[in-house]
């Protein structure tokens, strides 16, 4: 007898429902997250049993558990799972059972499960950018302290001469303590940032796709690595438009009869990919390749929309570069999950 499993995953506990081939609920139990507790519910099920769960907070451990024990994980797109979003009675037991029944009926809006290697690369890159954002926060706080005391410097305060200038300032005791503490935190953050930059640069040198992407205007090593990590296997997208829609760079559409309204970009998909493409577009829009297009769109729609349009064009060109047969063969050789 075939069985199907739906799991409503939460941070500390998960609701697990086992559905038989007739759609009846055999088990619906809430357990703490962990290998032993989850296997205590589904451990006796046949190898290859399909298991559905939403892309909620902290789902990576569950994928590894299911794959290690021979089950088939199915990651569900939470925003597209209308049966759960519109349910009149909504609780963990109902959600888990609905996931199992949708899996049984083959009606799940599935999301791609990135291989562990890709997930780890994403984690490194996101960690690096978060550390840089923390460092920027520290710098802004130093500037705020100085501005409150009427001090300013035309150049940077954080180079060698800038540090000497900061040290020479006569500041009140509390302000001096704040500035010194902030500088100390910035110096501490710089150590892992430099280590990550070195590791990521070594990884980039071994990947020919990075070199190909860096031919695009505005795309450097880190931008190329983010595109590769966030997109993953580009062959899963049949067209560049599909990739742009997945990245949330296409406009929302509302149509009724003959009336069609296009709104702002959907902003679904990877926020990191959209952010890095918009950062790259700030440079690319001044290049000869995109300058005329940017100016034309900016004149009609404004600079912000024009920059977003260039970000989409960069992603489109990246798609066609990565669909080069050499790279497609390389991706097919990589282990998939």
């Amino acid at each position: 007898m075939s069985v199907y499993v739906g799991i409503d995953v939460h941070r500390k506990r998960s609701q697990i429902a086992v559905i038989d081939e007739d759609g009846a609920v055999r088990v619906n139990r809430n357990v703490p997250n962990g290998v032993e507790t989850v296997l205590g519910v589904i451990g006796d099920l046949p190898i290859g049993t399909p298991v559905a769960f939403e892309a909620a907070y902290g789902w990576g451990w569950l994928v590894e558990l299911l794959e290690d024990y021979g089950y088939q994980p199915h990651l569900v797109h939470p925003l597209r799972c209308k049966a759960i979003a519109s349910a009149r009675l909504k609780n963990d037991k109902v959600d888990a059972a609905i996931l199992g029944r949708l899996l049984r009926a083959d009606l799940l809006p599935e999301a791609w499960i990135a291989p562990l290697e890709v997930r780890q690369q994403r984690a490194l890159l996101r960690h690096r950018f978060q550390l840089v954002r923390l460092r920027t926060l520290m710098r802004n706080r130093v500037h705020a302290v100085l501005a409150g005391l009427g001090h300013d410097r035309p150049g940077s305060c954080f180079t060698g001469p800038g540090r000497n200038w900061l040290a020479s300032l006569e500041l009140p005791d509390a302000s001096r303590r704040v500035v010194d503490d902030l500088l100390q935190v910035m110096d501490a953050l710089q150590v892992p940032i430099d280590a990550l930059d070195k590791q990521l640069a070594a990884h980039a040198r071994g990947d020919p796709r990075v070199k190909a992407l860096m031919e695009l205007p505005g795309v450097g090593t880190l931008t190329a690595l983010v595109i590769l990590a966030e997109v993953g296997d580009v062959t899963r997208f049949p067209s560049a438009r599909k990739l742009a829609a997945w990245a949330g760079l296409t406009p929302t559409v509302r149509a009724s009869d003959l009336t069609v309204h296009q709104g702002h970009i959907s902003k679904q998909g990877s926020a990191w990919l959209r952010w890095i493409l918009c950062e790259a577009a700030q440079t690319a829009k001044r290049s000869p390749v995109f300058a005329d297009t940017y100016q034309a769109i900016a004149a009609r729609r404004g600079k912000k929309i024009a920059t977003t349009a260039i970000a989409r064009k960069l992603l489109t060109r990246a798609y066609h570069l990565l669909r080069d047969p050499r790279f497609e063969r390389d991706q097919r050789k990589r282990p998939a999950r």
Side-chain angles (χ1 to χ4, degrees), residues 56-323:
Y57 179 87
W59 55 266
W61 67 272
L62 184 57
V63 172
E64 294 182 32
L65 185 155
L66 295 172
E67 290 179 339
D68 288 345
Y69 285 88
Y71 299 107
Q72 293 182 8
H74 294 264
L75 187 63
V76 180
H77 194 303
L79 295 179
R80 294 179 185 169
C81 200
K82 305 282 180 143
I84 289 179
S86 61
R88 203 174 257 191
L89 174 61
K90 190 173 185 341
N91 57 45
D92 293 349
K93 292 183 71 172
V94 172
D95 290 353
I98 288 175
L99 285 171
R101 290 192 174 111
L102 290 175
L103 178 60
R104 168 180 167 269
D106 196 21
L107 294 174
L108 281 176
E110 291 196 42
W112 182 62
I113 300 177
L116 180 61
E117 177 189 357
V118 174
R119 298 202 301 270
Q120 290 295 303
Q121 187 70 2
R122 287 176 181 174
L124 277 180
L125 286 161
R126 293 173 183 182
H127 177 53
R128 190 264 181 196
F129 290 125
Q130 285 166 339
L131 290 178
V132 171
R133 288 177 180 181
L134 280 175
R135 185 183 64 186
T136 302
L137 176 63
M138 300 299 104
R139 289 181 174 182
N140 290 340
R141 291 187 63 186
V142 170
H143 285 300
V145 171
L146 297 178
L149 297 171
H151 295 295
D152 189 24
R153 186 173 188 270
S156 172
C157 297
F158 309 108
T159 59
R163 289 292 186 98
N164 293 334
W165 176 79
L166 280 175
S168 68
L169 288 178
E170 294 186 5
L171 302 177
D173 291 343
S175 299
R176 171 56 65 187
R177 174 64 182 273
V178 171
V179 170
D180 289 347
D181 286 352
L182 291 172
L183 292 175
Q184 187 175 356
V185 173
M186 286 168 49
D187 291 339
L189 287 171
Q190 193 62 47
V191 176
I193 290 172
D194 290 342
L196 283 166
D197 284 344
K198 185 176 180 180
Q199 181 178 349
L200 292 168
H203 179 82
R205 284 194 293 271
D207 194 335
R209 298 173 300 169
V210 173
K211 185 177 180 181
L213 288 174
M214 288 176 63
E215 295 175 4
L216 297 173
V219 175
T221 302
L222 286 174
T223 303
L225 287 172
V226 172
I227 292 172
L228 292 173
E230 296 297 328
V231 172
D233 182 6
V234 74
T235 60
R236 62 196 176 99
F237 299 102
S239 67
R241 181 176 178 80
K242 292 286 186 182
L243 174 56
W246 174 83
L249 286 171
T250 55
T252 55
V253 178
R254 300 287 182 269
S256 179
D257 193 20
L258 299 178
T259 304
V260 179
H261 293 286
Q262 289 192 345
H264 296 291
I265 58 173
S266 67
K267 292 189 178 180
Q268 295 188 18
S270 171
W272 290 98
L273 180 60
R274 283 194 306 280
W275 167 73
I276 202 69
L277 286 169
C278 288
E279 289 292 308
Q282 298 290 349
T283 300
K285 67 186 182 184
R286 296 191 293 270
S287 71
V289 179
F290 295 118
D292 291 343
T293 301
Y294 170 78
Q295 293 296 339
I297 298 174
R300 297 195 317 270
R301 305 294 305 279
K303 294 181 179 180
K304 189 173 181 180
I305 292 177
T307 301
T308 305
I310 300 303
R312 178 178 170 180
K313 288 183 178 295
L314 277 175
L315 185 58
T316 298
R317 294 200 174 208
Y319 172 84
H320 291 297
L321 279 173
L322 295 176
R323 288 304 300 258

